[in-house]
């Protein structure tokens, strides 16, 4: 008895019987007003940052390539409207280290209507007096003076010394490289005239320059293929997501009426789906035996953007089979050890099904939360793009020989009148990048960090609003003595109104703490990325420890916030008081938390896996064209894993949206159940509010646990 009193004193006093307590309190006041003021001021400042970003930003800098004068190629309403492609005077200059340092080739660049399709040199054009009009379109804007000597034209960089057959890639003209029998060719030639009068050069020089010019663009090729896959498969992706929504909805509706049967069906189906996965992996592993190239190891093949390369390796399917076997064994062992507790969890899920049935609007409410989160994401993304493109055009001195002014900023309008051209005859003033030296540009990174922080804060606030609204509605169900007669007419709207009117500050407080921790985690990930090439193992180890600690802290805060919001919905107390009361209530019922609440979460997680597994398998067979009936209907793709992963991820989010209602309902009912046990004793004077079915199973389990502990003592 003394140990029990000491335990309760350590974790707070149990709730006392209160005949006036009938569920969520209606007479409540505003909580955490300071945080409410802070989030309002934060939103006002966030809008101000967005206005400044939209004023100075220019997304065209991301869309259109820029010539040496800082003008956009192909932009409507400009002189370059009909010139969508960027042409490099000397692509071989792009092999310079300056490309890696400043992401800009030290050669003039102009916008052209189309890329050149033939080998020509300026000297040959002047000598033969042919192709003047064709060659002129690749000279500087307005150049029409062919009376100048070729030496002067090339010295002044009015025209390129040569042009080569090229093809547009990401709106830039790159040599049309091809390979025939292992020989690299540009057009139909292996050599070319560089226009300087020297001997013929090998096309590999052009290839090297194109590679360096493409240093920032290589990733875009994969991105463009992925985008192309989305354009031809988006409607099939939507169909897959609709199937996931229908399956989730059917599962939730059946769970409402057949909770016990559906849980066991779900368990059996999860085991069956994983078992089929193991069987399929083994069949693919056996089929590839003896095929050429199938025994190559994953280490030897390295990273490949085309996932089909990995699917032709036996080692890939062996790895998949081992992973699925391990997961299958873990799930089966958990089910064996938790078989008795699963029966109790099913009782709680049945009660949650009745609660959801009484508050059917709770199944639609997550759409409201989802739309608000999408709004936050859209505002953050648009603001981030405008902030990143709000820099000004910076021009720098480019030259081929040694020059003290190399890399210095310059003004293209007055450059020819400065001493730079006299001291460095081959120097040019070209567009280098977007930046700026103003007060606004110096603190641009601060605005980006604030943009990320406010996104995290508002997104967490929206999620918190959804959680406290559902908690208030389900608490109204639990504490209704006559269910559902004693419930309010519109429990969701009543709970949402209370949350917005009284507890905006408390929700802002909890989401603020979580946002700060998440921002720290993002900064730690950034530092880890920067230190990847460092040899300081001590710093890497310390950073790894910090990342682990803050990951655990974020999980704990999410758990604490979730239960604090339930207490806020019921009692209307401030965030700190609600968090403390929820934590102490859970500690006083720690055995029930481990036995009941977490087992229920595990069963709901299996439900998500079942939906994702079914839709994922269907998407795999469809997009990989393994279903004979619809083989011709499936779109032709560069990477068929793109729509498959999209469908899998989207299916999980959809299933999570539906099952999160059950998860919040279970957590709310569990806390209410623990409070009910402390407030009441089941007598006529102090009856339990829990349903008879729930009390029959849960209280019997408590009695069995008590007998077990007495026998051990």
């Amino acid at each position: 008895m003394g140990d029990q009193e000491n335990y309760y004193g350590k974790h707070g006093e149990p709730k006392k019987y209160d005949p006036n307590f009938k569920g969520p309190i209606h007479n409540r006041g505003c909580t955490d007003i300071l945080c409410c003021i802070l989030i309002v001021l934060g939103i006002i400042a966030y809008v101000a940052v967005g206005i400044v970003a939209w004023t100075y930003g220019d997304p065209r800098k991301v869309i259109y390539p820029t010539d040496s004068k800082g003008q956009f190629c192909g932009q409507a309403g400009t002189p370059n409207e009909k010139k969508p492609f960027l042409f490099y005077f000397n692509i071989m200059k792009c092999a310079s280290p300056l490309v890696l340092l400043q992401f800009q080739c030290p050669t003039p660049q102009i916008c052209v209507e189309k890329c050149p399709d033939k080998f020509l040199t300026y000297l040959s054009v002047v000598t033969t007096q042919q192709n003047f009009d064709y060659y002129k379109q690749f000279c500087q804007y307005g150049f029409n003076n062919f009376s100048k000597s070729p030496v002067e034209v090339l010295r002044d960089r009015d025209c390129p010394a040569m042009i080569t057959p090229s093809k547009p890639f990401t709106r830039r003209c790159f040599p049309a490289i091809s390979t025939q029998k292992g020989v690299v060719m540009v057009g139909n030639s292996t050599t070319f005239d560089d226009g300087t009068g020297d001997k013929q050069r090998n096309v590999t020089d052009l290839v090297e320059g194109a590679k360096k010019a493409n240093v920032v663009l290589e990733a875009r090729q994969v991105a463009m293929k992925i985008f192309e896959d989305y354009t031809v498969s988006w409607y099939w992706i939507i169909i897959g997501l609709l199937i996931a929504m229908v399956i989730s909805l059917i599962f939730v509706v059946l769970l409402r009426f057949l909770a016990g049967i559906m849980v066991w069906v779900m368990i059996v189906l999860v085991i069956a789906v994983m078992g089929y996965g193991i069987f399929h992996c083994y069949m693919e592993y056996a089929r590839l035996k003896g095929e050429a190239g199938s025994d190559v190891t994953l280490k030897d093949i390295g990273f490949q953007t085309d996932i089909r390369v990995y699917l032709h390796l036996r080692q890939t399917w062996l790895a998949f089979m081992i992973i699925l076997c391990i997961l299958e064994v873990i799930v089966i062992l958990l089910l064996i050890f938790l078989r008795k507790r699963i029966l109790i969890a099913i009782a709680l899920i049945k009660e949650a099904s009745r609660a959801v049935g009484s508050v059917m609007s709770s199944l639609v409410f997550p759409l409201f939360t989802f739309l608000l989160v999408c709004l936050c994401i859209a505002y953050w993304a648009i603001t981030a793009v405008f902030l990143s493109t709000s820099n000004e055009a910076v021009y720098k001195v480019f030259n081929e020989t040694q020059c003290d002014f190399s890399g210095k900023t310059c003004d293209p309008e007055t450059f020819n009148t400065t001493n730079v051209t006299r001291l460095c005859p081959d120097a040019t003033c070209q567009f280098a990048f977007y930046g700026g030296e103003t007060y606004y540009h110096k603190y641009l990174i601060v605005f980006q960090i604030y943009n990320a922080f406010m996104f995290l804060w508002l997104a967490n606030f929206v999620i918190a609003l959804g959680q406290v609204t559902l908690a208030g509605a389900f608490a109204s169900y639990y504490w209704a003595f006559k269910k559902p007669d004693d419930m309010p007419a519109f429990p969701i709207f009543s709970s949402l109104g209370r949350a917005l009117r009284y507890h905006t500050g408390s929700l802002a407080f909890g989401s603020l703490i979580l946002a700060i921790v998440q921002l720290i985690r993002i900064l730690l990930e950034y530092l880890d990325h920067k230190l990847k090439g460092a040899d300081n193992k001590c710093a890497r180890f310390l950073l790894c420890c910090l990342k682990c600690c803050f990951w655990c802290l974020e999980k704990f805060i999410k758990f604490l916030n979730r239960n604090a919001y339930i207490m806020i919905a019921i009692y209307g107390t401030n965030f700190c008081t609600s968090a403390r009361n929820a934590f102490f209530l859970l500690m006083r019922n720690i055995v029930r938390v481990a036995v009941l609440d977490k087992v229920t979460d595990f069963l709901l997680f299996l439900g998500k896996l079942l939906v994702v597994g079914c839709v994922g398998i269907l998407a795999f067979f469809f997009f990989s064209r393994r279903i004979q009936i619809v083989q011709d209907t499936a779109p032709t793709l560069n990477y068929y894993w793109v729509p498959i992963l999209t469908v899998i991820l989207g299916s999980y989010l959809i299933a999570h949206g539906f099952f999160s209602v059950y998860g919040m309902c279970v957590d709310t009912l569990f806390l209410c159940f623990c409070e009910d046990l402390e407030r009441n004793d089941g007598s006529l004077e102090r009856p339990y509010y829990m349903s008879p079915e729930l009390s029959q199973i849960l209280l019997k389990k408590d009695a069995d646990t008590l007998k077990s502990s007495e026998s051990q003592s």
Side-chain angles (χ1 to χ4, degrees), residues 242-258 262 363 611 658-659 662:
L242 288 175
I243 293 174
M245 186 179 295
V246 171
I247 293 176
S248 299
L249 185 60
I250 292 174
F251 197 93
V252 168
V253 171
L254 291 176
L255 206 60
R256 162 69 181 89
F257 300 101
L258 304 168
M262 286 303 299
L363 291 175
V611 174
F658 280 98
F659 283 92
Y662 266 84

Side-chain angles (χ1 to χ4, degrees), residues 555-591:
K555 295 298 180 184
F556 174 75
I557 290 176
K558 283 184 176 180
F559 171 78
L560 189 63
N561 282 6
R562 186 181 179 92
N563 290 282
Y565 297 147
I566 296 174
M567 302 302 280
I568 290 173
I570 298 175
Y571 295 104
T573 52
N574 61 44
F575 177 79
C576 292
T577 303
S578 300
R580 183 190 64 212
N581 292 340
F583 181 74
F584 284 163
L585 179 62
L586 293 172
M587 291 302 295
R588 292 196 298 269
N589 297 271
I590 191 64
V591 176

Side-chain angles (χ1 to χ4, degrees), residues 378-546:
Y379 187 88
W380 163 78
I382 293 172
T383 304
V385 170
F386 274 85
L387 282 174
S388 62
T389 58
S390 60
N391 291 310
E392 299 173 345
V394 174
Y395 298 86
K396 291 198 173 186
V397 177
F398 288 88
N399 62 288
E400 299 178 22
T401 59
Q402 180 65 30
C403 179
D404 295 336
F405 295 96
S406 178
K408 302 290 185 181
T409 56
C410 58
D411 185 354
E413 300 294 332
T414 61
F415 181 72
N416 291 330
T417 62
T418 63
N419 291 330
V420 179
T421 55
R422 181 174 57 85
L423 299 174
C424 305
D426 62 337
T428 58
C429 183
Q430 296 184 30
F431 167 77
F433 54 84
Y434 287 103
E437 300 296 332
T438 64
Y439 187 81
Y440 167 73
H441 294 104
K442 287 180 180 179
Y443 290 93
L444 203 56
I445 184 64
V446 177
F447 292 147
Q448 286 283 23
I449 294 175
Y450 183 74
N451 181 34
F453 170 72
M454 284 304 300
F455 163 69
L456 294 173
W457 193 3
L458 292 178
N460 287 319
F461 176 83
V462 169
I463 294 172
L465 180 63
Q467 291 176 342
V468 78
T469 301
L470 291 175
F474 294 132
S476 300
Y477 166 84
Y478 186 93
W479 295 108
F481 193 74
K482 294 181 179 179
K483 302 176 177 61
D485 299 334
D486 293 343
M487 292 177 60
F490 302 101
I492 287 288
F493 291 105
S494 300
S495 181
L496 178 61
R498 288 195 302 268
L500 290 174
R501 181 178 179 182
Y502 298 110
H503 307 301
T504 299
S506 297
L507 301 181
F509 192 8
S511 55
L512 174 63
I513 297 172
L514 185 57
I516 291 173
V517 174
Q518 290 174 335
L519 184 62
I520 293 173
R521 287 195 63 204
I522 292 174
L523 294 176
L524 289 175
E525 289 291 343
Y526 175 77
L527 289 176
D528 184 46
H529 177 73
K530 287 293 184 182
L531 291 174
K532 276 188 176 179
D535 295 330
N536 193 333
K537 294 183 179 180
C538 182
R540 294 292 305 277
F541 174 76
L542 180 62
L543 192 60
C544 184
C545 292
L546 286 174

Side-chain angles (χ1 to χ4, degrees), residues 1 40 57 72 93 117 125 142 175 231 297 350 361 383 392 416 426 465 509 555 595 607:
M1 185 68 180
V40 171
F72 299 117
K93 298 293 183 185
D117 56 5
V125 170
T231 58
T297 63
K350 286 182 179 178
S361 56
T383 304
E392 299 173 345
N416 291 330
D426 62 337
L465 180 63
F509 192 8
K555 295 298 180 184
V595 170

Side-chain angles (χ1 to χ4, degrees), residues 217-404:
L217 306 172
E218 286 180 347
R220 295 190 185 181
Q221 186 176 13
V222 177
M224 289 176 67
K225 289 184 178 180
I226 291 175
F227 179 76
E228 183 182 342
D229 288 343
Y230 278 126
T231 58
V232 298
S233 64
W234 63 269
Y235 46 91
W236 292 110
I237 293 175
I238 293 176
I239 292 174
L241 297 180
L242 288 175
I243 293 174
M245 186 179 295
V246 171
I247 293 176
S248 299
L249 185 60
I250 292 174
F251 197 93
V252 168
V253 171
L254 291 176
L255 206 60
R256 162 69 181 89
F257 300 101
L258 304 168
I261 296 175
M262 286 303 299
V263 169
W264 287 112
V265 168
M266 175 184 67
I267 292 172
V268 172
L269 286 179
V270 168
I271 296 175
V273 168
M274 295 177 69
Y276 173 77
I278 295 171
F279 170 76
H280 181 77
C281 291
Y282 173 77
M283 294 301 295
E284 291 291 333
Y285 177 77
R287 182 181 65 82
L288 291 173
K289 185 178 182 180
E291 286 196 11
S294 63
D295 292 326
V296 179
T297 63
L298 294 171
K299 184 178 179 181
D300 293 335
I301 203 169
F303 175 74
Q304 300 290 331
T305 56
D306 190 352
I307 199 172
R308 288 172 293 190
V309 175
Y310 298 107
L311 297 182
H312 286 89
L313 303 180
R314 299 187 74 210
Q315 196 177 79
T316 301
W317 293 105
L318 179 62
F320 285 160
M321 185 170 60
I322 293 173
I323 292 172
L324 286 175
C325 286
I326 294 173
L327 292 176
E328 182 91 327
V329 170
I330 291 174
V331 170
I332 292 175
L333 289 177
L334 285 173
L335 292 173
I336 292 173
F337 287 111
L338 300 175
R339 61 188 184 280
K340 293 183 179 179
R341 296 169 184 176
I342 287 175
L343 296 175
I344 307 170
I346 289 175
L348 190 55
I349 291 177
K350 286 182 179 178
E351 187 68 16
S353 300
R354 285 189 282 268
V356 172
S358 301
V359 191
M360 287 299 292
S361 56
S362 62
L363 291 175
V364 184
F365 183 75
L367 293 177
F368 172 72
T369 304
F370 176 74
L371 291 176
L372 288 180
V373 171
C374 287
L375 182 63
C376 293
I377 294 173
Y379 187 88
W380 163 78
I382 293 172
T383 304
V385 170
F386 274 85
L387 282 174
S388 62
T389 58
S390 60
N391 291 310
E392 299 173 345
V394 174
Y395 298 86
K396 291 198 173 186
V397 177
F398 288 88
N399 62 288
E400 299 178 22
T401 59
Q402 180 65 30
C403 179
D404 295 336

